[in-house]
Amino acid sequence: MQTRDIFANISPLDHRYSRRKKNFDQIGKYLSENATIEFQAEVELALVKVLARKGMAPEQAPAEVEKAINELTTEEIYAEEAKTKHNIRALVNCIQKKVSKDIRPYIHFTATSYDIVDTANSLRYQKAAQELILPKLKELHKSWAEIALHEKDRVQIGRTHGQHAVPVTFGFTIAEYVARLGERIEEIEAKADKLVGKFSGAVGAYNASSIFFEDPEEFEKEVLAELGLKPGEHSTQIVQAEPITDFIHALVSTFSVLAAFADDMRHLQRSEIAEIGEHFGKDQVGSSTMPHKRNPINYENVKSLWKAFMPQMTTVYMDQLSEHQRDLTNSASSRFIPELITALLSAAARLTRVSSKMAVDQENIKKNFEQNKKMIVAEPLYILLAAAGHPDAHEAVRKLTLMAQETDFSLRELVEQSQELQGYWDKFTRRQKELILKPEKYTGIAAEKTEKIVKNWQHKFDYDLKTEVL
Ligand SMILES: O=C(O)C[C@H](Nc1ncnc2c1ncn2[C@@H]1O[C@H](COP(=O)(O)O)[C@@H](O)[C@H]1O)C(=O)O
């Protein structure tokens, strides 16, 4: 077996959930180990650029450093780390070896390792959010908006506690997720914008940079501005932990929305419910032993990935604690954040694929609705009786539902058989009576609300839908 074979990798994210996808190179651009080092080198370059601009480093320093970092390889840095046992010193040494003697002193000048590491991470996560995560999630969002709009009028039984409750529409069911994902997308956008860098040295008091700069905070701002970042209000050897914690929380809670959707859709695929289906390829196998099966494997995969990565949030919270001006216990743990992001991207891509080919079984949605039709109107009936002056409407209707369960009569028929209740019934308007006689009309404003939600997000995210929102 060749060592470069992708199946030699340990993480299933490499060989199973991302690498085989055509966008892996793009993911690797921000989340791979090569990217980690490239972004760190980019921060070292920004420092040299500012030093040269200030006349401290030779004029040609940025060009030389840029050339040097273009030639850097991850392998050589790891080989150097094997000697130094310090990854950032290894990076600095490798850059220094590639530039002329008079430029070497300005590599990493006044910096501590985490001026580089934390700044580079904020930068790559911010870019990953803008160029990778947000577009991918918006694609998924659009596919859900399409379904919501297309299905806005399709009456479906609403379920609470797994029991038939009162009617909604299938579009409304999906609109919940359009709203929840939309709000999370905005949250990711906001939290990515708030990621910060630092250039405040080994304990955050600008000890080294204040030797050379009258206003070291201004110098920090200049270096970070080269990269499009800002500093936080305070830093120690590391940036304040909260901006990255909030950013990852936004990602993980988004992942939870995806998992909740997947779980709901999986339940709607149960044999007894069968209201939707996953597209099934003609050569696809459902079960190795039961040839008839069509399993909701995609939804199950998303929930499973979420189970693997959602708990990582606990680690992120633990990384908020660092002793005094820092300890290194957040170092190894934070190296797994790219995996969490990759898993989220994989789940989003999978759900987009499945959602855009979702099969909605109109017959079964109707059949399930009809199943309990006579009970569904218990709620409007009791409310209308109360509004018509019945002193104990809830109890009266509860008794009717028990009778309805024991007989073939509908609630309406039982009302008709009771002189007392019929008296209240006669006070109902035509429209109110219709709600009891035709439970499928008892959907509240499900369709309008669906349309409103879709329209809101279509406007915000500026995408076209096949089904027009008027
Ligand atoms: O600017 C500095 O370096 C300041 C220094 N603190 C350190 N800051 C940043 N990195 C450091 C530090 N110390 C070690 N290392 C190196 O970090 C690497 C940790 O590797 P891993 O545990 O795999 O994540 C691994 O390569 C470690 O060697 C201090 O003494 O405060």
Side-chain angles (χ1 to χ4, degrees):
M1 225 186 228
Q2 304 241 331
T3 51
R4 295 187 79 84
D5 186 330
I6 61 162
F7 297 111
N9 288 320
I10 304 290
S11 173
L13 288 170
D14 291 319
H15 63 257
R16 196 166 176 89
Y17 302 124
S18 67
R19 212 175 240 269
R20 295 189 308 175
K21 308 283 176 286
K22 60 179 182 302
N23 59 359
F24 175 76
D25 285 347
Q26 223 201 333
I27 297 178
K29 214 167 122 186
Y30 304 106
L31 303 179
S32 65
E33 184 61 358
N34 287 334
T36 309
I37 290 169
E38 273 166 28
F39 275 86
Q40 289 168 351
E42 194 71 31
V43 180
E44 296 284 5
L45 174 62
L47 167 65
V48 172
K49 280 183 182 169
V50 175
L51 292 173
R53 202 158 57 224
K54 288 186 172 304
M56 292 178 70
E59 210 181 323
Q60 75 280 14
E64 265 203 47
V65 173
E66 191 162 7
K67 185 168 173 292
I69 65 173
N70 284 338
E71 289 166 6
L72 276 178
T73 65
T74 307
E75 285 85 349
E76 78 181 279
I77 294 164
Y78 265 77
E80 183 69 14
E81 188 186 347
K83 287 187 246 159
T84 60
K85 305 282 184 269
H86 191 300
N87 57 344
I88 293 300
R89 197 64 238 176
L91 169 72
V92 172
N93 291 352
C94 289
I95 300 174
Q96 282 179 329
K97 278 182 211 163
K98 293 180 193 296
V99 296
S100 42
K101 257 188 180 159
D102 57 333
I103 289 170
R104 283 179 203 160
Y106 302 101
I107 312 296
H108 204 65
F109 186 72
T110 74
T112 192
S113 303
Y114 264 61
D115 288 342
I116 310 302
V117 174
D118 271 351
T119 302
N121 278 339
S122 287
L123 187 61
R124 73 189 178 119
Y125 293 144
Q126 196 173 74
K127 284 198 188 301
Q130 289 158 352
E131 286 165 41
L132 217 58
I133 305 168
L134 292 166
K136 182 79 29 218
L137 290 173
K138 283 181 185 171
E139 241 180 86
L140 174 61
H141 191 268
K142 182 181 162 186
S143 74
W144 288 355
E146 293 273 14
I147 305 171
L149 204 56
H150 190 262
E151 298 294 315
K152 74 179 167 60
D153 296 313
R154 191 177 315 286
V155 179
Q156 182 194 29
I157 186 61
R159 295 175 172 94
T160 61
H161 309 273
Q163 311 281 309
H164 286 195
V166 290
V168 289
T169 66
F170 183 53
F172 181 79
T173 297
I174 303 295
E176 172 194 341
Y177 289 101
V178 173
R180 288 174 70 179
L181 179 59
E183 190 272 341
R184 285 295 85 188
I185 288 174
E186 287 192 327
E187 187 67 5
I188 294 173
E189 222 159 13
K191 297 306 180 204
D193 276 356
K194 288 182 83 174
L195 289 172
V196 291
K198 76 171 284 265
F199 233 89
S200 58
V203 292
Y206 306 84
N207 311 58
S209 52
S210 65
I211 304 174
F212 304 96
F213 306 106
E214 206 170 306
D215 187 348
E217 284 185 289
E218 202 45 50
F219 173 67
E220 174 183 53
K221 278 189 194 144
E222 258 187 78
V223 176
L224 296 180
E226 266 310 307
L227 302 160
L229 286 174
K230 288 186 181 138
E233 185 185 18
H234 180 274
S235 50
T236 55
Q237 187 175 102
I238 54 183
V239 292
Q240 283 174 218
E242 288 63 41
I244 186 82
T245 307
D246 289 349
F247 173 66
I248 304 297
H249 171 79
L251 297 181
V252 172
S253 55
T254 301
F255 210 155
S256 301
V257 172
L258 269 51
F261 174 86
D263 218 21
D264 261 4
M265 296 306 120
R266 188 170 63 85
H267 286 305
L268 291 181
Q269 268 189 268
R270 282 179 184 279
S271 305
E272 293 82 356
I273 297 179
E275 293 185 2
I276 63 156
E278 286 185 22
H279 175 77
F280 216 72
K282 86 176 162 40
D283 297 323
Q284 194 172 336
V285 173
S287 156
S288 61
T289 175
M290 295 170 281
H292 66 285
K293 294 211 55 206
R294 290 177 160 217
N295 297 330
I297 56 167
N298 290 303
Y299 296 127
E300 290 177 333
N301 169 277
V302 169
K303 185 174 180 184
S304 189
L305 277 182
W306 169 77
K307 276 166 43 179
F309 290 96
M310 172 272 288
Q312 215 174 310
M313 196 62 225
T314 312
T315 310
V316 177
Y317 289 135
M318 289 197 284
D319 283 345
Q320 278 182 274
L321 277 63
S322 195
E323 284 169 19
H324 308 297
Q325 278 66 47
R326 85 105 15 122
D327 61 54
L328 204 59
T329 61
N330 72 335
S331 180
S333 48
S334 64
R335 289 182 195 271
F336 294 91
I337 289 172
E339 292 197 348
L340 163 66
I341 300 175
T342 306
L344 172 63
L345 289 169
S346 165
R350 189 182 285 256
L351 281 185
T352 307
R353 267 196 326 276
V354 192
S355 301
S356 56
K357 288 183 182 169
M358 183 188 283
V360 180
D361 194 322
Q362 307 178 25
E363 289 305 309
N364 279 347
I365 288 199
K366 197 156 182 277
K367 198 175 81 198
N368 293 338
F369 183 79
E370 300 281 331
Q371 221 180 64
N372 238 346
K373 201 169 168 180
K374 65 178 183 181
M375 291 298 177
I376 289 168
V377 291
E379 181 191 75
L381 179 60
Y382 123 71
I383 292 168
L384 287 170
L385 287 173
H390 193 295
D392 198 6
H394 189 279
E395 183 55 17
V397 174
R398 194 184 69 82
K399 283 183 183 149
L400 286 191
T401 59
L402 294 177
M403 281 158 69
Q405 272 160 1
E406 286 160 12
T407 64
D408 282 340
F409 294 120
S410 69
L411 293 183
R412 165 59 193 135
E413 285 162 338
L414 291 170
V415 167
E416 219 168 9
Q417 290 167 20
S418 153
Q419 235 183 3
E420 186 213 0
L421 293 178
Q422 182 60 34
Y424 291 108
W425 173 274
D426 292 338
K427 294 185 191 170
F428 296 178
T429 65
R430 249 184 68 193
R431 194 175 155 261
Q432 290 169 343
K433 286 177 184 164
E434 205 187 12
L435 281 183
I436 309 299
L437 297 169
K438 293 185 179 160
E440 57 277 9
K441 298 235 178 240
Y442 187 52
T443 54
I445 57 162
E448 295 88 325
K449 183 95 181 159
T450 302
E451 216 167 308
K452 191 166 144 189
I453 289 170
V454 170
K455 199 171 178 178
N456 174 39
W457 291 105
Q458 186 184 15
H459 177 70
K460 281 188 175 170
F461 294 160
D462 194 26
Y463 49 58
D464 292 326
L465 293 174
K466 275 183 253 148
T467 320
E468 265 305 297
V469 187
L470 299 173

